[in-house]
Amino acid sequence: MKGFCEKAVASKCLSESPSDTSNTSQPSVCPEAGYVDSKSSRNSSWSTFFGSAFSIFDAHCESSACPRKALHSRPNAWTTAVRKVVTGGSMRRIQERVLGTGRTGISNPTSDIWLLGVCYKISQDESSGDEVPGLPAFEQDFSSRIIITYRKGFEAIDSNYTSDVGWGCMLRSSQMLVAQALLFHHLGRSWRKTSYKPCEPKYADILHLFGDSNASPFSIHNLIQAGKAYDLAAGSWVGPYATCRSWESLVRSKREAADLVERVFPIALYIVSGDEDGERGGAPVLCIEDARKCCSEFSRGQDEWTPILLLVPLVLGLEKVNPRYIPLLRATFSFPQSLGILGGKPGASTYLIGVQDDEAFYLDPHDVQPVCSISTDNLDSDTSSYHCNVIRRIPLDSLDPSLAIGFYCRDKDDFDDFCSRASKLADDSSGAPLFTVAQTHSTPKPVGNSGDSTEGGIVEGNNPFSVIPMGDGDGSAGEDEWQLL
């Protein structure tokens, strides 16, 4: 869970380590209409209580070496009851009752929906009331996305934790995003889940990668191990920036294993972060030259360009997302390369995969399910726990400002198209872009569309991408909204 503000994480990675105690609440993913600030404060108090209690309970009462168990051989009825609440469906009911019932379904029967780069025309025939094909197509696409939730009963992490209930939602959200990237890479964006058995071997192989054991390369076990340099630990909440860097470490460790990365993760990974000098705030910079080097290193020099996963961790405000960024966030879902957003309410991470008007659709990792093992040796395995038919939504203006955006580019042409779209989005941002695009880190002036001289100086003739000056449109610095990542 995002139990601390990402600004603290980012600052810790770059300078001194500030306190991690801010933003530790666990409000609901989707509050009811009429939500006000006083309710937010009250919910934060309840969230902190329940989140802390659940984490402590898991840490000490699920351990096989729990002192209380050593002293009492007979199970304690109260402990058993609490365990059922924490790891069963009761936790969802408690969350909804204390923190607010989540919003589900489609709120507007006429507005278009964007789901990971695909637009669905949602409208209603007033004469017959029949749904047009857009809605069922959207629902099928939504339910085909891979969802990874809390699990219980997996092999212990650090000898204590056999469930990630109460602390693993950000890690689960990140697993979902990476799983979609692999799904797009191997099976294509148009792939849809069917009820036919046996399931496709490549689909089963993708699910196996995210199993809950050390044997699965991208399990929560291995992700925590890879993220220890960023203070990832079982039982602790974590933010988007540390999660992105942990994936970078995990993928690198698999790449260093002989010939293993080609099988499990055939995609280069590039974290779009802040200015490398660490001195100046402002939007992160996607450096084209760095992306090219990342692909070349991934292919061990055999190819100049490979499929690439871009992760962009951001902090878009202090306590909530600055309203000027909301249209930009909404626009990213229209990119064909979109992989959605790791985000949610403070202390409750979700995986945002679509948008309609001012609300985002998301997959919720907070449902608790028994551990599930999928293998290509058994293609008749039940994979229903990796998909969800419940369409949940959240207002974009209620998102935690710490989030991360993902994009998947299949090849160089796809990457160039992404950069063109990202540059145009930055051009339309009135001086407050989500991130900018530059050919190299040393590009000192805005880059134009040709090799002609500009007022800022000479630019490269083959670079169609623009660098947006930092700051607001009136020339004032816009660094008050940013924490360098």
Side-chain angles (χ1 to χ4, degrees), residues 62 74 120-121 137 172 178 197 261 302 315 361 366 378 395-396 413 457 470:
E62 288 194 355
R74 187 177 63 181
Y120 291 97
K121 301 290 184 179
R172 296 302 188 181
V178 176
K197 296 293 182 68
V261 67
Q302 296 181 8
V315 178
F361 299 104
H366 295 92
N378 181 13
L396 288 169
D413 289 341
M470 308 294 182

Side-chain angles (χ1 to χ4, degrees), residues 17-199:
S17 176
S19 173
D20 288 346
T21 59
S22 63
N23 206 14
T24 56
S25 61
Q26 186 188 350
S28 73
V29 175
C30 288
E32 296 184 61
Y35 177 87
V36 294
D37 290 341
S38 60
K39 183 176 180 180
S40 175
S41 177
R42 183 167 62 253
N43 287 351
S44 296
S45 300
W46 279 107
S47 302
T48 302
F49 169 76
F50 279 106
S52 301
F54 291 161
S55 296
I56 294 172
F57 180 85
D58 276 342
H60 296 286
C61 291
E62 288 194 355
S63 170
S64 60
C66 182
R68 185 178 297 274
K69 289 184 178 180
L71 294 173
H72 303 282
S73 60
R74 187 177 63 181
N76 184 285
W78 184 87
T79 300
T80 302
V82 174
R83 186 194 302 272
K84 289 181 179 180
V85 169
V86 173
T87 61
S90 299
M91 184 176 182
R92 164 68 64 183
R93 292 191 291 272
I94 287 177
Q95 183 184 22
E96 291 180 347
R97 177 164 297 186
V98 176
L99 306 178
T101 303
R103 302 178 180 183
T104 59
I106 306 298
S107 62
N108 190 327
T110 60
S111 297
D112 294 347
I113 293 177
W114 283 97
L115 180 64
L116 299 183
V118 176
C119 182
Y120 291 97
K121 301 290 184 179
I122 307 297
S123 62
Q124 196 91 11
D125 187 339
E126 296 181 356
S127 61
S128 64
D130 294 332
E131 294 176 341
V132 297
L135 184 56
F138 161 72
E139 292 172 341
Q140 184 185 27
D141 192 358
F142 184 93
S143 63
S144 295
R145 299 309 107 215
I146 294 175
I147 182 172
I148 302 176
T149 70
Y150 286 154
R151 296 285 182 173
K152 59 180 180 179
F154 52 66
E155 63 181 60
I157 303 175
D158 296 338
S159 303
N160 287 328
Y161 295 90
T162 58
S163 172
D164 60 314
V165 173
W167 55 269
C169 62
M170 173 55 71
L171 303 181
R172 296 302 188 181
S173 298
S174 71
Q175 285 180 316
M176 287 189 252
L177 188 149
V178 176
Q180 303 325 312
L182 289 170
L183 200 64
F184 292 174
H185 178 80
H186 290 296
L187 299 175
R189 178 63 183 86
S190 61
W191 179 87
R192 298 292 182 268
K193 183 182 182 300
T194 68
S195 57
Y196 300 116
K197 296 293 182 68
C199 62

Side-chain angles (χ1 to χ4, degrees), residues 220-367:
I220 193 171
H221 302 64
N222 288 320
L223 184 56
I224 289 174
Q225 180 64 32
K228 287 189 174 180
Y230 299 96
D231 293 332
L232 258 69
S236 299
W237 294 334
V238 64
Y241 177 79
T243 301
C244 290
R245 288 300 182 186
S246 299
W247 274 105
E248 183 181 47
S249 298
L250 180 57
V251 169
R252 183 186 302 115
S253 69
K254 300 304 178 185
R255 182 170 66 231
E256 292 172 352
D259 297 327
L260 182 60
V261 67
E262 286 79 10
R263 182 172 62 86
V264 300
F265 200 73
I267 308 171
L269 175 59
Y270 174 41
I271 309 296
V272 181
S273 191
D275 195 303
E276 62 181 353
D277 61 16
E279 299 286 339
R280 184 179 64 178
V285 179
L286 190 161
C287 178
I288 297 174
E289 183 63 22
D290 282 355
R292 185 196 66 77
K293 290 179 180 178
C294 183
C295 291
S296 179
E297 291 175 0
F298 171 79
S299 67
R300 299 187 175 103
Q302 296 181 8
D303 298 297
E304 184 179 16
W305 210 267
T306 68
I308 187 169
L309 168 60
L310 307 173
L311 296 178
V312 190
L314 299 169
V315 178
L316 302 179
L318 298 177
E319 295 183 357
K320 62 180 181 178
V321 173
N322 189 303
R324 64 185 174 183
Y325 294 115
I326 290 178
L328 306 180
L329 290 174
R330 184 169 56 239
T332 62
F333 289 99
S334 67
F335 286 25
Q337 302 82 11
S338 172
L339 282 176
I341 298 175
L342 303 181
K345 298 296 290 292
S349 174
T350 62
Y351 176 39
L352 310 176
I353 61 173
V355 67
Q356 182 188 41
D357 298 330
D358 292 325
E359 292 186 313
F361 299 104
Y362 66 93
L363 296 174
D364 189 357
H366 295 92
D367 284 324

